[in-house]
Amino acid sequence: MLVLTIYRLLQVTIWASNDLHETFHLPVSPLALEEIRDIQLTLTKIYPSTSNTNIWHYIWGTATFRPKDYYSYFFRDARTDPMFKHLWKSKCTMKLKVFGWLLFHDRLNTRNMLKRRHFNIGYDFDCLLCGLPIEEIVDHMIFTCDFSRTCWTKLGIQWTPFGNRLTALKLNRDSWRDPFFMEIFLTAGWSLWKEGTTNTSVELTLLLGPGFHASKMT
Ligand SMILES: [Zn+2]
């Protein structure tokens, strides 16, 4: 935007200093001629500053561009669920935070999602964790699956009543008496995800003890 503004200013300066015959189809109307003369007069009073103190500022007030400032300014009125703030403020690695973001937005590649995206994964879309004929969607896989519920119970987390995943998270976080709720949720959720996709989650073993795998459910 800054470059465009300077470019247009230069354009105005150039045509204002040239002969009118080179710029316009003459004769112009008396009103247009008067406006051109006004602009020419105004431009004669403008002198480019060579002072270092004459600095362009972005609309958000700083002279240097930072993506963070851009997003903070243009999305200042955006309202998001508080769980997203807790997600990004958590002490987990970025890998787990991105996993959480995908989970919150229902963007994980569950079997249901792969089917919707027309991936060739056969005709079995059922949950691998519980082995029941229930289609693998993110809410079932992470929250309501029998296997997942058993894991969450061991961690002291209950998802009942479960309606909306963000609401369920908020209810549990509000009643959580210990620190690191979001960290525990992301770590356990990631472990369930790994277990559901590979059936050999090392993280799940570390979290819940040896031999605690979905294969034990079937
Ligand atoms: Zn299941």
Side-chain angles (χ1 to χ4, degrees), residues 128-215:
L128 283 178
L129 290 176
C130 61
L132 297 174
I134 302 173
E135 192 156 306
E136 186 185 270
I137 60 174
V138 67
D139 283 347
H140 171 80
M141 184 181 189
I142 302 298
F143 297 96
T144 61
C145 175
D146 285 349
F147 176 77
S148 302
R149 281 187 191 278
T150 306
C151 296
W152 290 120
T153 300
K154 277 186 169 283
L155 295 171
I157 297 174
Q158 302 289 332
W159 298 116
T160 48
F162 183 83
N164 173 289
R165 69 186 78 96
L166 291 177
T167 304
L169 270 169
K170 182 179 185 313
L171 287 173
N172 270 279
R173 188 181 182 280
D174 289 347
S175 60
W176 189 256
R177 297 288 169 238
D178 300 316
F180 305 122
F181 173 80
M182 187 56 75
E183 287 79 359
I184 291 171
F185 169 75
L186 290 174
T187 308
W190 171 257
S191 305
L192 288 169
W193 169 251
K194 292 278 286 182
E195 180 71 10
T197 52
T198 65
N199 211 22
T200 54
S201 170
V202 176
E203 291 90 343
L204 201 67
T205 302
L206 291 172
L207 204 62
L208 300 173
F212 203 88
H213 288 296
S215 56

Side-chain angles (χ1 to χ4, degrees), residues 10-20 23 36 39-40 43:
L10 286 174
Q11 278 187 316
V12 170
T13 307
I14 289 168
W15 71 252
S17 63
N18 287 342
D19 191 293
L20 289 180
T23 314
I36 291 169
I39 294 173
Q40 286 179 317
L43 289 175

Side-chain angles (χ1 to χ4, degrees), residues 14-189:
I14 289 168
W15 71 252
S17 63
N18 287 342
D19 191 293
L20 289 180
H21 290 273
E22 296 178 8
T23 314
F24 296 102
H25 293 292
L26 296 179
V28 295
S29 68
L31 179 61
L33 183 62
E34 187 181 338
E35 290 178 350
I36 291 169
R37 295 301 181 203
D38 282 347
I39 294 173
Q40 286 179 317
L41 186 63
T42 303
L43 289 175
T44 58
K45 299 172 186 171
I46 297 176
Y47 302 99
S49 172
T50 56
S51 168
N52 289 335
T53 58
N54 189 12
I55 300 172
W56 287 80
H57 286 79
Y58 289 95
I59 195 168
W60 50 84
T62 61
T64 53
F65 179 84
R66 292 191 312 164
K68 182 182 179 185
D69 295 333
Y70 173 86
Y71 279 97
S72 297
Y73 181 80
F74 283 99
F75 296 100
R76 60 191 181 282
D77 295 327
R79 295 286 174 266
T80 54
D81 193 287
M83 282 302 113
F84 286 93
K85 181 182 173 188
H86 297 312
L87 169 70
W88 297 118
K89 292 282 184 186
S90 71
K91 306 299 182 190
C92 289
T93 60
M94 186 53 71
K95 179 180 74 173
L96 289 193
K97 290 180 183 180
V98 172
F99 164 78
W101 187 91
L102 292 169
L103 192 160
F104 288 3
H105 281 293
D106 190 14
R107 293 289 185 275
L108 287 176
N109 277 334
T110 57
R111 291 184 162 199
N112 171 270
M113 176 65 80
L114 294 174
K115 181 180 75 172
R116 282 189 276 155
R117 291 179 174 173
H118 305 292
F119 276 68
N120 184 17
I121 59 169
Y123 298 97
D124 182 7
F125 309 111
D126 295 342
C127 174
L128 283 178
L129 290 176
C130 61
L132 297 174
I134 302 173
E135 192 156 306
E136 186 185 270
I137 60 174
V138 67
D139 283 347
H140 171 80
M141 184 181 189
I142 302 298
F143 297 96
T144 61
C145 175
D146 285 349
F147 176 77
S148 302
R149 281 187 191 278
T150 306
C151 296
W152 290 120
T153 300
K154 277 186 169 283
L155 295 171
I157 297 174
Q158 302 289 332
W159 298 116
T160 48
F162 183 83
N164 173 289
R165 69 186 78 96
L166 291 177
T167 304
L169 270 169
K170 182 179 185 313
L171 287 173
N172 270 279
R173 188 181 182 280
D174 289 347
S175 60
W176 189 256
R177 297 288 169 238
D178 300 316
F180 305 122
F181 173 80
M182 187 56 75
E183 287 79 359
I184 291 171
F185 169 75
L186 290 174
T187 308

